[in-house]
């Protein structure tokens, strides 16, 4: 009968004809027959099943085997013996070089017919040994899946005892070498199914033998932490972790992170490879294990590992948000990585170029998954904006991309940041400030944030960019008996000449820190600036004179020398004078008091108060020797600039508000005097706004700096409970108070009083009104040189803007825009953005628009530099002469040596860090080119399928890129 069957199968008849003949043979096989005939048929069916070159032949072999196993069990058991199976497993079947791939399938098929036979236990014992040997030989994913299928169906064949533990470990080794060589979607799906069968077998073993779990995980960690592997272990290992019970997580992570035998390089290798598992599409709880290990490393303060791994992997994790099948897990990991990386903006800034494209892709997908992810991503982005404010130029495209998405409130943001921080002790991360390999391309140097010291950093950079002040400080001689000014000199010198990308201002901070400031807390930068200038001023007054070069100049007259040598450097650079006059409205007596100032604090007028006067902004196109025309009705001017401290009442009859250009105090009976320009003015026939454009023009409902100055210089009525005690009348009387600027400072500092105390909440609240800032400002200064000559106009150029980001003076962040203004009228002077360690190029457009894009980022302190004019000519000439005589400031020997030594030390540190970093980075697992995911999404809009970045798009290549 075997000859007949073989002849039929090998014939050229059509399959339907063969099928009828085969059916007859199979029916005949169900009848009793002798042992020899059964053996011949079993040999033939084995041959067909194992070496058949077509599926049809293998199916016939299978069918015949099943019939003989069922109807001739004794003969089948005799044929399916231990020796035969050992031969199949060790030597294979078929001609040499063409061994059958179906041996395991054949054994699984035959086992069902010998389960109750006397030889069953012998077969099980053999298979327990042979499957262990097989997995030690690292079979292919397909063969491994067949072993798993066999053992899942016949668990009696699973190795036991110590062999079982070894089997689990070797099976994990096999999974670690699985690779899918095909990029076809069908082949990939088949590969995933094979991996699932293998990991499913491990799950089955772990359920019955929980003692095998921890040794298995130890083997897994050994694989992923190895630094010796030529090829990275397969991401298929992710399928193993999903079956580890979550209740074991805390103990496993604790043991790993506290194991002293695991080096940092091994741990970094392991966590890096685990993070790559986010791209495995069938894993469950993978994100939980990754996050748990990251938290475990934070608990034992392995911050350097966390930093390196986050910076090297976060972009890849982000790119996986394109794929719905792995999006949930990838987003969880991304959220933790970003929210925990709070010591530096580096990780978040790596993602900035890719966020708009991803947001566009998710919007296009228009699925529940995409919508939910967009909302979570937007929340995450706003948390980062809050934590790392001060980068408006970088954030603007991202803000535009997410502007239509919900914005979390501040309490929610603080909760998320507080919940995920690596540590509550900020000083533990002080040494991990953003790593900058070299100076900014701007050539400027940043300042390290020492823990909420951005308020100081912004002020220091603004003072440093005030070039006249900087040069004066750098020209200080040794032994000047001014310790704080000397520390400032050293800080300026390092900012000027250091090779470091950022330096630490710790020494200066310790010396200049106001004693009432709370350590580590955010402070008011304006308060710090006032304290600093006052300290420097008082120090010089009580010490030696520090600026002897003006005195040495033979070009200066004795009067000029006396005038300037009686002033401190702070007075010369930032000091101005103001006359406060109070006029009794009964007797018209006027009392006057002149006082010095280093800054003007500008309050915001009430919302119902119109303070717009004539234009007080000078268009750059019209700089020239012009004059300011008098007002049309100068006789109506009854007062000088007044300060209104409270909202006006209906009964008040204060003088109408007028412009900073035309305000002056009019004595009783005195005719109004026109306002005179000095060397720079504006042609009243022209509208300067029309030529200056948006740079000078504020929105209709917004405030401008000239508005606030007009309000500051407007009259205040002293009445009711605020009446003035007139000495002449010897009683309380209604009065008017006015302030006049009598001497303009070289550097004008304006503080916008944005913070006010709210008695209802018992907190200082912030006024978030947008204030337009003119690049050129004109102030009316009383001309004291010629009595009765009225006011002259002094022109100032904007040189620095300190911005506060936040809604409270006790929180938020400070950064500043600055440029170096000189006597040369160059309106193309480069602007820079200083944000702690980061310095970048910027523009006046960014200064002007920052609050429009970021409503909590508002200008707070402004620095203006006075242009050369008649009032300031003496100081300008002295500074210019000093510059001609001495050129660039020459530092004294001790300071030059300190800078030189530090630059050498920095180079040595760079070399050492490069070596250490090379060792770290070489240990990190190599990732595929993650950005191809984003590029593919951008270019491939016509593909279709189930695993693509969009709602279903993405060809086979994109799926292969996802998984592998």
């Amino acid at each position: 009968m075997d000859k007949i069957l073989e002849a039929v199968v090998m014939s050229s008849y059509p399959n339907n004809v063969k099928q009828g003949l085969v059916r007859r043979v199979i029916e005949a096989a169900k009848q009793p027959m002798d042992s020899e005939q059964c053996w011949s048929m079993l040999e033939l069916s084995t041959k067909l099943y194992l070496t058949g070159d077509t599926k049809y032949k293998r199916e016939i072999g299978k069918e015949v085997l099943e019939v003989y196993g069922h109807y001739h069990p004794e003969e089948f058991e005799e044929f399916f013996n231990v020796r035969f199976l050992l031969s199949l497993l060790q030597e294979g079947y078929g001609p040499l070089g063409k061994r059958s791939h179906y041996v395991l399938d054949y054994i699984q098929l035959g086992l069902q017919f010998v389960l109750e036979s006397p030889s069953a236990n012998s077969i099980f014992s053999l298979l327990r040994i042979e499957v262990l040997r097989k997995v030690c030989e690292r079979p292919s994913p397909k063969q491994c899946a067949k072993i798993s299928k066999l053992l899942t169906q016949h668990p009696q064949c699973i190795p036991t005892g110590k062999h079982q533990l070894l089997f689990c470990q070797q099976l994990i080794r096999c999974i670690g070498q699985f690779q899918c060589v095909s990029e076809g979607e069908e082949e990939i799906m088949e590969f995933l199914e094979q991996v699932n069968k293998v990991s499913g077998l491990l799950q089955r073993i772990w359920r019955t033998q929980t003692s095998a779990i921890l040794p298995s995980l130890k083997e897994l960690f050994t694989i992923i932490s190895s630094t010796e592997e030529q090829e990275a272990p397969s991401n298929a290992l992710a399928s193993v972790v999903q079956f580890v019970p979550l209740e074991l997580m805390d103990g496993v992570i604790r043991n790993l992170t506290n194991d002293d035998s695991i080096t940092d390089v091994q741990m970094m290798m392991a966590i890096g490879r685990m993070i790559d598992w986010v791209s495995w599409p069938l894993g469950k709880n993978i994100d939980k294990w990754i996050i748990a290990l990251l938290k475990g490393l934070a608990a034992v303060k392995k911050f350097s590992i966390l930093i390196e791994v986050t910076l090297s992997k976060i972009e890849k994790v982000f790119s996986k948000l394109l794929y719905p099948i792995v999006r949930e897990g990838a987003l969880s990991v991304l959220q933790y990585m970003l929210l925990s990386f709070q010591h530096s903006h580096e990780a978040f800034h790596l993602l900035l170029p890719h966020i708009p494209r991803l947001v566009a892709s998710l919007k296009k997908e228009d699925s529940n998954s995409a919508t939910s992810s967009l909302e979570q991503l937007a929340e995450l982005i706003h948390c980062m904006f809050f934590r790392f404010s001060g980068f408006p130029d970088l954030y603007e495209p991202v803000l535009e991309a997410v502007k239509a998405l919900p914005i979390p409130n501040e309490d929610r943001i603080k909760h998320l940041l507080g919940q995920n921080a690596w540590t509550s002790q900020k000083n533990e991360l002080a040494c991990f400030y953003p790593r900058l390999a070299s100076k900014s391309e701007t050539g400027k140097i940043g300042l390290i944030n020492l823990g909420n010291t951005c308020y100081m950093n912004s002020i220091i950079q603004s003072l440093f960019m005030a070039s006249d002040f900087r040069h004066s400080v750098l020209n200080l001689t040794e032994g000047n008996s001014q310790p704080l000014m000397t520390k400032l000199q050293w800080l300026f010198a390092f900012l000027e000449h250091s090779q470091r990308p950022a330096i630490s201002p710790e020494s200066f901070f310790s010396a200049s820190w106001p004693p009432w400031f709370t350590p580590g807390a955010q402070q008011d930068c304006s308060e710090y600036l006032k304290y600093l200038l006052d300290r420097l001023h008082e120090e010089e007054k009580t010490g030696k004179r520090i600026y002897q070069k003006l005195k040495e100049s033979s070009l200066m007259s004795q009067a000029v020398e006396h005038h300037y040598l009686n002033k401190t450097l702070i007075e010369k650079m930032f000091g101005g004078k103001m006359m406060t006059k109070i006029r009794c409205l009964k007797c018209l007596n006027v009392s006057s008091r002149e006082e010095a100032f280093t800054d003007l604090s500008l309050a915001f007028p009430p919302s119902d108060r119109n303070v717009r006067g004539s234009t007080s902004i000078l268009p750059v196109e019209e700089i020239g020797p012009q004059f300011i025309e008098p007002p049309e009705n100068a006789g109506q001017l009854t007062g000088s600039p007044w300060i209104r401290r409270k909202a006006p009442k209906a009964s008040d009859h204060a003088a109408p508000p007028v412009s900073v250009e035309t305000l002056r105090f009019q004595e009783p009976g005195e005719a109004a005097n026109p306002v005179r320009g000095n060397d720079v003015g504006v042609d009243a026939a022209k509208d300067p706004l029309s030529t200056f454009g948006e740079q000078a023009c504020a929105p209709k409902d917004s405030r401008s700096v000239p508005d606030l100055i007009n309000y500051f210089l407007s009259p205040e009525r002293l009445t009711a409970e605020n009446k003035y005690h007139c000495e002449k009348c010897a009683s309380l009387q209604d009065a008017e108070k006015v302030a006049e600027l009598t001497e303009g400072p070289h550097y004008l500092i304006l503080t916008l009083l944005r913070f006010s105390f709210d008695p209802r909440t018992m907190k200082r609240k912030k006024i978030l009104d947008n204030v337009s800032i003119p690049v050129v400002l004109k102030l009316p200064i009383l001309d004291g040189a010629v009595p009765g000559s009225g006011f002259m106009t002094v022109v100032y150029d904007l040189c620095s803007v300190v911005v506060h980001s936040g809604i409270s003076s006790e929180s938020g962040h400070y950064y500043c825009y600055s440029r170096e203004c000189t006597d040369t009228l160059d309106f193309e002077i480069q602007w820079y953005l200083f944000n702690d360690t980061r310095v970048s190029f910027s523009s006046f457009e960014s200064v002007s628009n920052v609050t429009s894009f970021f409503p909590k980022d508002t200008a707070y302190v402004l620095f203006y530099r006075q242009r050369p004019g008649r009032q300031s000519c003496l100081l300008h000439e002295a500074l210019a002469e000093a510059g001609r005589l001495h050129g660039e400031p020459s530092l004294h020997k001790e300071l030059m040596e300190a800078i030189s030594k530090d630059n050498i030390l920095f180079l040595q540190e760079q070399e050492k860090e490069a070596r250490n970093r090379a060792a770290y980075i070489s240990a990190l697992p190599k990732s595929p080119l993650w950005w191809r995911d984003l590029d593919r999404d951008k270019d491939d809009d016509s593909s279709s399928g189930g695993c693509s970045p969009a709602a279903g798009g993405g060809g086979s290549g994109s799926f292969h890129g996802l998984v592998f």
Side-chain angles (χ1 to χ4, degrees), residues 731-913:
S731 61
L732 293 174
Q733 298 292 337
D734 288 348
E736 282 186 335
K737 183 167 75 171
V738 69
E740 296 174 339
L741 300 178
T742 57
E743 183 178 323
H746 184 62
Y747 283 101
L748 172 68
I749 300 175
L750 303 176
T751 300
L752 311 188
L753 297 180
R754 292 189 174 274
F755 301 111
S756 61
F757 184 75
D758 187 346
R760 184 175 55 84
T761 61
M762 300 300 291
K763 292 182 178 180
R764 294 178 74 191
K765 65 178 182 179
K766 180 179 177 181
I767 301 171
L768 295 172
D769 294 5
N770 191 4
V771 176
S772 65
I773 305 170
V775 72
V776 180
L777 180 70
K778 294 190 293 178
L779 281 183
I781 305 294
L782 188 64
D783 189 352
V786 183
S789 61
F791 285 80
M792 62 180 175
T793 298
V794 177
V795 181
Y796 284 89
D797 295 299
L798 181 68
C799 52
S800 287
V801 178
V802 178
V803 176
H804 177 263
S805 176
I807 59 173
S808 166
S809 62
E810 289 82 24
S811 63
H813 180 64
Y814 289 99
Y815 57 95
C816 73
Y817 294 92
S818 288
R819 63 172 183 163
E820 290 196 40
C821 292
T822 62
D823 290 346
T824 305
L825 296 180
D826 182 1
F827 292 98
E828 299 301 321
I829 299 173
Q830 178 65 55
W831 281 91
Y832 302 95
L833 175 55
F834 294 88
N835 187 359
D836 288 336
T837 55
R838 183 179 183 271
V839 187
S840 58
F841 291 115
S842 192
S843 64
F844 182 71
E845 182 182 9
S846 179
V847 180
S848 304
N849 295 333
V850 62
T851 308
S852 302
F853 285 100
F854 302 93
K856 295 179 183 178
D857 291 29
T858 54
Y860 184 37
V861 178
L862 313 178
F863 288 72
Y864 282 88
R865 181 184 186 273
Q866 187 181 144
R867 281 196 198 162
R870 186 169 60 80
Q871 191 217 26
S872 62
C873 63
L874 297 178
L875 178 58
H876 279 279
E877 287 176 7
L879 291 170
E881 181 61 23
R884 283 193 296 270
L885 291 175
H886 304 285
E888 285 298 310
S890 57
L891 307 179
H892 57 78
K893 183 179 178 182
E894 182 185 0
L895 183 49
M896 291 177 63
E897 288 177 352
I899 295 172
S900 178
K901 286 180 180 179
D902 186 70
N903 285 339
I904 294 172
L905 177 62
F906 173 64
L907 292 176
Q908 293 171 344
E909 290 172 357
Q910 288 289 91
E911 292 173 0
K912 182 178 179 181
E913 182 180 347

Side-chain angles (χ1 to χ4, degrees), residues 128-147:
R128 282 194 286 268
I129 295 173
E130 285 301 307
V131 293
L132 176 56
R133 183 183 62 80
K134 280 283 186 186
V135 297
C136 288
E137 293 176 351
R138 306 290 179 264
S140 67
K142 188 172 184 179
Q143 291 300 308
C144 238
K146 289 182 179 182
I147 293 174

Side-chain angles (χ1 to χ4, degrees), residues 655-674:
V658 286
S659 163
V660 295
E661 290 186 339
T662 57
L663 291 172
R664 74 175 295 277
F665 189 86
Q666 182 181 3
E667 299 289 353
E670 178 189 357
N673 285 304

Side-chain angles (χ1 to χ4, degrees), residues 280-294:
W280 186 255
L282 301 177
K284 296 177 181 178
N285 299 327
I286 304 300
D287 56 324
K288 293 181 175 65
W289 281 94
I290 294 171
I291 293 171
L293 183 52
L294 291 172

Side-chain angles (χ1 to χ4, degrees), residues 211-395:
S211 61
I213 297 178
L214 293 181
S216 299
L217 289 181
K218 187 174 182 180
E219 188 70 19
L220 172 64
F221 187 82
T222 300
I223 295 170
I224 63 175
S225 64
S226 173
T227 60
E228 299 174 359
E229 299 290 338
Q230 293 296 320
E231 191 171 347
S234 171
N235 282 350
L237 287 169
S239 65
V240 176
V241 177
Q242 65 180 328
F243 295 124
V244 180
L246 292 180
E247 55 266 26
L248 297 178
M249 181 184 288
D250 289 343
V252 170
I253 298 300
R254 190 164 49 251
N255 289 338
L256 281 177
T257 54
N258 288 282
D259 189 340
D260 293 336
S261 67
I262 300 174
T263 67
D264 285 358
V265 172
Q266 289 174 320
M267 183 62 76
M268 184 156 43
M269 182 69 76
I271 186 61
R273 284 169 172 163
M274 283 182 68
I275 290 173
D276 287 342
W277 292 351
V278 296
S279 61
W280 186 255
L282 301 177
K284 296 177 181 178
N285 299 327
I286 304 300
D287 56 324
K288 293 181 175 65
W289 281 94
I290 294 171
I291 293 171
L293 183 52
L294 291 172
K295 288 182 176 179
L297 290 171
V300 296
K301 307 188 188 309
K302 295 286 188 179
F303 301 129
S304 58
I305 296 176
L306 291 167
I307 290 170
E308 293 292 347
V309 168
T310 300
L311 294 178
S312 64
K313 294 295 182 181
I314 196 167
E315 290 172 283
K316 182 178 181 181
V317 173
F318 181 80
S319 72
K320 299 310 170 188
L321 298 183
L322 289 166
Y323 302 94
I325 197 170
V326 297
R327 183 176 293 151
E328 183 179 356
L331 185 56
S332 295
V333 175
L334 179 73
Q335 284 175 320
Y336 179 76
M337 291 174 85
L338 276 182
L339 290 172
S340 63
F341 202 94
Q342 294 186 29
H343 71 288
S344 160
H345 55 259
E346 289 176 285
F348 178 51
H349 285 192
L350 287 174
L351 304 181
L352 294 180
H354 317 300
I355 290 175
R357 196 188 307 175
L358 176 69
V359 170
S361 178
L362 293 178
K363 287 180 178 178
K364 181 181 176 183
E365 182 179 320
D366 193 25
S367 66
N368 291 336
S369 167
T371 301
S372 173
S373 297
L374 272 174
E375 292 177 356
Q376 293 179 69
L377 184 62
E379 181 177 72
L380 191 57
I381 289 169
H382 283 289
C383 285
M384 295 297 100
F385 283 168
F386 180 87
R387 180 65 188 87
F388 304 115
S389 54
F391 301 93
D393 297 348
L394 291 178
Y395 292 169

